[in-house]
Amino acid sequence: MKRAGFGFEIVARDGAARCARLTTPHGVVETPAFMSVATYGAVRGLDPLELRAVGAQILLANTYHLHERPGEDTIAKLGGLHGFTGWSGPWLTDSGGYQVTSLADRLEVSERGVSFRSPLDGRTRLLSPESAMDIQQALGPDIAMVLDECVPPRDDAPDHAARAAAAHTRTLRWAERCKAHHHRPDQALFGIVQGGGSATARQESAAALREIGFDGYAHGGLGLGEAREERRALVEVAQAELPLELPRYLMGLGRPVDLLDGVAGGIDLFDCVLPTRHARHGALFTSQGLLRIKNTRYRDDPGPPDPACDCPLCTNHSRAYLAHLVHSKEALGARLASLHNLRFYLRLLERARDAIREGRLDALRAELDAVYPEDAASD
Amino acid sequence: MKRAGFGFEIVARDGAARCARLTTPHGVVETPAFMSVATYGAVRGLDPLELRAVGAQILLANTYHLHERPGEDTIAKLGGLHGFTGWSGPWLTDSGGYQVTSLADRLEVSERGVSFRSPLDGRTRLLSPESAMDIQQALGPDIAMVLDECVPPRDDAPDHAARAAAAHTRTLRWAERCKAHHHRPDQALFGIVQGGGSATARQESAAALREIGFDGYAHGGLGLGEAREERRALVEVAQAELPLELPRYLMGLGRPVDLLDGVAGGIDLFDCVLPTRHARHGALFTSQGLLRIKNTRYRDDPGPPDPACDCPLCTNHSRAYLAHLVHSKEALGARLASLHNLRFYLRLLERARDAIREGRLDALRAELDAVYPEDAASD
């Protein structure tokens, strides 16, 4: 990475997979890395100290939610995301585009940007490439994302192909405008590959983004219904067009096996709400597979949720106590389960980094595929 | 206290107020002490380590809730409240009577006990003096409470006086049955003074309970609409009948000034849901009075919620961040605010203990009355 204060140094490889040190103005991230999602500037009831203790290196915040409340100006005045939230390590923000299109009403996408009615005050607003940059430059994360238009790979509407193609080319024009409007020297800017379910469009998108030139690249619009093999192929074809020496990020995915698929395909960064969302429903990722703590068999179980886990839940509490907390809707249950699931994800990436260094990523993937078979209801 | 493993040693006095060391099989409680309420066996999203860190010495669990779920047999099998929850310090449980009468349907109070329809499975159950003892002996707290019938001091129903008198005398008969049925040697049993708004009834109740003989005594049925002065008088008349050398507990109260009223009247133990309930609504007890964090004036405020407070919220976060979390309904907001309010209550009792030792409790009360004037909306 050419930007001052940033660096991306690849330290080991295993096939297409790589281990690297991503340096940012707020610290180093060992990659491949999982970014915990702090939607409103906090990871679901967890504080920065305990996130650090379970191995979190970098957090992701949702630009759209923070723009609505408390607003980027307030956050900027209070020291940006780092000062405002107390997480002083690296931050990444999304562009807000995905949240707007999934949450807002009266959506209209035009060349100017995305206009929508705010669910908060009912007023119409415009999220443009320029305003997406302004907001993220005010929020102050270490890494900002371009505004993109996401069209799912699968869609039965008759005009799907035309819409996907239009979105893909518009996303490229928006990417140029984002780059032109991005001035903050201490913030990296990543481009986002789109193209729906078309390998050709994804390849074109990646090549065009590389031409524009970003500090890193992401794959967007995946994990939206396409099959695992299809996704791997769509990522692979785009990866081939992206510069090897820069970080790549697979947005919004996913299950543990999806992460290792990505790692094997040369992805460096991941984020997903699955660990915290599953935790709130009492579903725990463990070394023996998914454990649904509400199952009556755990009612009297004195053992730790996962005997192989070193998180505060598994170190201090029984399955029976967690089951009771979750059944009682006591907030401590969701908190401890979230911490556990994040520890599982963060530990999984630690293990992936070790495996890459030791040339045994395939063995780790085979182990995980056995514990989390494709047909298991893990999402 | 004559029971093995227990002790109550008064170490300082200031008027009727006293500082003591209450020894239990699971540790010593410096009194006067505030007991944090762990309704379902956890204090609203907080874990044992952080409770200990803000000065918690003893927790209170609700017998009725734990009886409904997961059931006292499950908890007994898993090491009682101490083993089940991970809070290895002292525990006190209420008798379940108050929760039954406030939460359950089809309530019928007879000499046998309280019959009610369980909100969980719709079946009719009976909570009798004997079953209240069985449940608490299975739960295993250090201190159990007798089953009582609570009639509020104020009630406009024409038969109020007759009902209050009947409840008061029945509560005494139940107290005898509780004592006869209580066999666990490592558990103290406290009697509960009732008598509604009648000073005579409360005096009789206290004298009769002393005659039966308990390890400690509580004042029940207060904080239910009566005026502050009226409550003080009702407590005082009963206190005069209770043995000076045993612990006294004012149940369910209250605001900071109510706690110091109690301390001045010789009360040793308190519990109240107010600090955690207020926290969930964004109301913070501070050294400068009640702070409602949702007020727009705190939106940009970079200062700590209470500059005089040493809790994790005030040490690490701004008013603006807390306001944002509470507005966003992010779980971390309620958690940090709960921890703060508990710290305020626990610190207030620390200060009361210091004041008693130094003979300046009146000065502390005057200071608190000025910061929390009677007419302020603090409940």
Side-chain angles (χ1 to χ4, degrees):
Chain A
M1 292 170 86
K2 288 174 194 156
R3 194 176 286 273
F6 287 85
F8 188 69
E9 181 198 355
I10 295 170
V11 294
R13 292 180 196 274
D14 181 3
R18 68 262 192 95
C19 248
R21 287 171 60 82
L22 168 61
T23 303
T24 76
H26 291 88
V28 171
V29 180
E30 305 280 347
T31 69
F34 179 76
M35 303 186 283
S36 306
V37 181
T39 304
Y40 299 101
V43 181
R44 295 290 178 177
L46 305 180
D47 72 30
L49 283 178
E50 60 197 344
L51 286 168
R52 184 68 75 184
V54 296
Q57 305 181 79
I58 173 169
L59 303 189
L60 179 150
N62 291 126
T63 290
Y64 169 67
H65 289 292
L66 295 174
H67 167 65
E68 289 276 7
R69 191 163 51 197
E72 60 275 14
D73 294 341
T74 297
I75 292 180
K77 249 190 289 182
L78 292 158
L81 277 171
H82 305 86
F84 180 62
T85 66
W87 172 266
S88 55
W91 278 99
L92 179 146
T93 48
D94 61 13
S95 70
Y98 183 79
Q99 250 80 26
V100 164
T101 51
S102 48
L103 297 178
D105 276 349
R106 295 209 187 151
L107 200 71
E108 212 174 299
V109 183
S110 70
E111 194 64 26
R112 285 178 64 212
V114 188
S115 87
F116 61 99
R117 192 169 66 167
S118 162
L120 236 67
D121 60 15
R123 278 189 285 190
T124 299
R125 305 194 192 183
L126 176 76
L127 185 67
S128 68
E130 290 75 19
S131 68
M133 290 300 99
D134 288 338
I135 296 169
Q136 290 180 83
Q137 290 179 100
L139 292 174
D142 301 84
I143 303 172
M145 302 299 299
V146 299
L147 182 68
D148 61 334
E149 185 185 353
C150 166
V151 174
R154 287 171 177 284
D155 185 337
D156 291 335
D159 64 340
H160 173 66
R163 278 197 302 120
H168 149 57
T169 52
R170 184 153 50 211
T171 288
L172 292 176
R173 293 190 295 274
W174 284 1
E176 289 202 65
R177 284 165 57 190
C178 283
K179 186 175 177 186
H181 200 76
H182 185 263
H183 305 296
R184 199 168 162 155
D186 61 345
Q187 185 176 74
L189 180 63
F190 282 19
I192 304 177
V193 176
Q194 288 287 354
S198 156
T200 315
R202 290 210 170 247
Q203 189 173 25
E204 283 172 13
S205 176
L209 288 170
R210 181 184 188 155
E211 199 62 35
I212 301 170
F214 289 95
D215 301 305
Y217 298 86
H219 303 268
L222 294 172
L224 300 171
E226 77 282 1
R228 184 176 170 189
E229 277 312 318
E230 186 182 1
R231 179 166 55 248
R232 279 204 286 221
L234 291 171
V235 169
E236 193 178 351
V237 72
Q239 288 279 90
E241 301 297 325
L242 297 173
L244 273 173
E245 70 281 8
L246 290 181
R248 296 98 166 263
Y249 161 28
L250 182 54
M251 301 181 82
L253 282 169
R255 300 167 305 174
V257 293
D258 299 326
L259 265 62
L260 289 201
D261 282 355
V263 168
I267 297 290
D268 309 298
L269 294 169
F270 301 88
D271 79 285
C272 194
V273 296
L274 197 62
T276 41
R277 189 200 290 151
H278 263 36
R280 290 198 298 282
H281 300 142
L284 273 72
F285 292 99
T286 78
S287 55
Q288 284 129 50
L290 203 71
L291 184 151
R292 297 193 183 276
I293 200 69
K294 288 183 178 178
N295 191 305
T296 50
R297 87 178 78 155
Y298 302 125
R299 199 178 178 285
D300 296 335
D301 191 334
D306 184 356
C309 178
D310 59 3
C311 83
L313 170 66
C314 295
T315 310
N316 299 319
H317 297 291
S318 64
R319 290 173 174 176
Y321 185 54
L322 181 65
H324 165 64
L325 294 177
V326 170
H327 276 300
S328 304
K329 299 185 171 51
E330 160 57 48
L332 185 58
R335 175 186 160 196
L336 290 173
S338 292
L339 205 53
H340 167 86
N341 276 355
L342 287 177
R343 178 63 190 143
F344 181 88
Y345 269 62
L346 295 163
R347 176 89 187 104
L348 179 65
L349 277 292
E350 283 175 30
R351 293 175 69 201
R353 295 195 294 271
D354 289 344
I356 294 168
R357 284 191 206 98
E358 295 160 18
R360 51 175 181 77
L361 182 63
D362 282 348
L364 178 62
R365 294 181 70 197
E367 184 191 324
L368 198 74
D369 273 335
V371 177
Y372 287 91
E374 186 64 10
D375 58 346
S378 65
D379 55 6
Chain B
M1 291 170 86
K2 289 175 190 152
R3 195 177 286 272
F6 286 85
F8 188 72
E9 184 198 353
I10 296 170
V11 294
R13 292 177 196 276
D14 182 3
R18 69 262 192 95
C19 247
R21 288 171 60 82
L22 168 61
T23 304
T24 77
H26 292 87
V28 170
V29 180
E30 305 280 347
T31 69
F34 179 75
M35 303 185 283
S36 306
V37 181
T39 304
Y40 298 101
V43 180
R44 295 292 178 175
L46 305 180
D47 72 29
L49 284 178
E50 62 197 342
L51 286 167
R52 182 71 75 183
V54 295
Q57 305 182 78
I58 173 171
L59 304 188
L60 179 151
N62 291 126
T63 290
Y64 169 68
H65 290 291
L66 295 174
H67 167 64
E68 289 276 5
R69 192 163 53 199
E72 60 275 12
D73 293 342
T74 298
I75 292 180
K77 250 191 288 183
L78 293 159
L81 278 170
H82 305 87
F84 180 62
T85 65
W87 172 267
S88 55
W91 278 97
L92 179 147
T93 48
D94 62 13
S95 69
Y98 183 77
Q99 251 82 23
V100 164
T101 52
S102 48
L103 297 176
D105 275 349
R106 294 211 189 151
L107 200 73
E108 210 174 298
V109 183
S110 71
E111 194 64 25
R112 284 178 65 212
V114 188
S115 88
F116 62 99
R117 194 169 65 169
S118 162
L120 238 67
D121 60 17
R123 278 189 287 190
T124 298
R125 303 193 193 186
L126 176 76
L127 185 68
S128 68
E130 290 75 20
S131 68
M133 290 300 98
D134 288 339
I135 297 169
Q136 290 181 84
Q137 291 180 96
L139 293 174
D142 300 83
I143 302 172
M145 302 299 297
V146 297
L147 182 68
D148 60 334
E149 186 185 353
C150 166
V151 174
R154 287 174 177 282
D155 184 338
D156 290 335
D159 64 341
H160 173 68
R163 280 196 302 118
H168 149 57
T169 52
R170 185 153 49 211
T171 289
L172 293 175
R173 292 189 298 273
W174 285 0
E176 290 202 63
R177 283 165 59 190
C178 284
K179 185 175 177 189
H181 199 77
H182 186 263
H183 304 297
R184 198 167 164 158
D186 60 344
Q187 185 175 74
L189 180 63
F190 281 19
I192 304 177
V193 175
Q194 288 288 355
S198 155
T200 316
R202 292 212 167 245
Q203 188 172 26
E204 282 173 13
S205 177
L209 288 170
R210 179 184 189 156
E211 198 62 35
I212 301 170
F214 289 95
D215 301 307
Y217 298 86
H219 302 268
L222 295 171
L224 300 171
E226 76 282 2
R228 184 177 170 189
E229 277 311 319
E230 187 183 359
R231 179 165 55 248
R232 280 204 286 221
L234 291 172
V235 169
E236 192 178 353
V237 71
Q239 289 279 89
E241 300 297 325
L242 297 173
L244 272 174
E245 69 280 12
L246 291 180
R248 296 97 166 263
Y249 161 28
L250 182 53
M251 301 181 82
L253 281 169
R255 300 168 305 174
V257 292
D258 299 325
L259 265 61
L260 289 199
D261 282 354
V263 168
I267 298 290
D268 308 297
L269 295 169
F270 301 88
D271 80 285
C272 193
V273 297
L274 197 63
T276 42
R277 189 200 291 150
H278 263 35
R280 290 198 298 282
H281 300 143
L284 273 70
F285 292 99
T286 78
S287 56
Q288 285 129 49
L290 204 69
L291 184 152
R292 297 194 184 275
I293 200 70
K294 289 184 176 176
N295 192 306
T296 50
R297 88 179 77 155
Y298 303 124
R299 199 177 178 286
D300 297 334
D301 190 334
D306 184 356
C309 178
D310 59 3
C311 84
L313 170 66
C314 296
T315 310
N316 300 317
H317 298 289
S318 64
R319 289 175 175 175
Y321 185 55
L322 180 66
H324 166 65
L325 293 177
V326 170
H327 277 299
S328 304
K329 298 185 172 52
E330 159 57 49
L332 185 58
R335 176 184 160 196
L336 290 173
S338 291
L339 206 53
H340 168 85
N341 277 354
L342 287 177
R343 178 63 189 143
F344 181 88
Y345 269 63
L346 294 163
R347 176 88 187 106
L348 178 65
L349 276 293
E350 283 175 29
R351 293 176 69 202
R353 294 194 295 270
D354 289 344
I356 294 168
R357 284 192 206 95
E358 295 160 18
R360 51 173 182 77
L361 182 63
D362 281 348
L364 178 62
R365 293 180 70 196
E367 184 191 326
L368 198 74
D369 273 335
V371 178
Y372 287 91
E374 186 65 9
D375 59 345
S378 65
D379 56 6

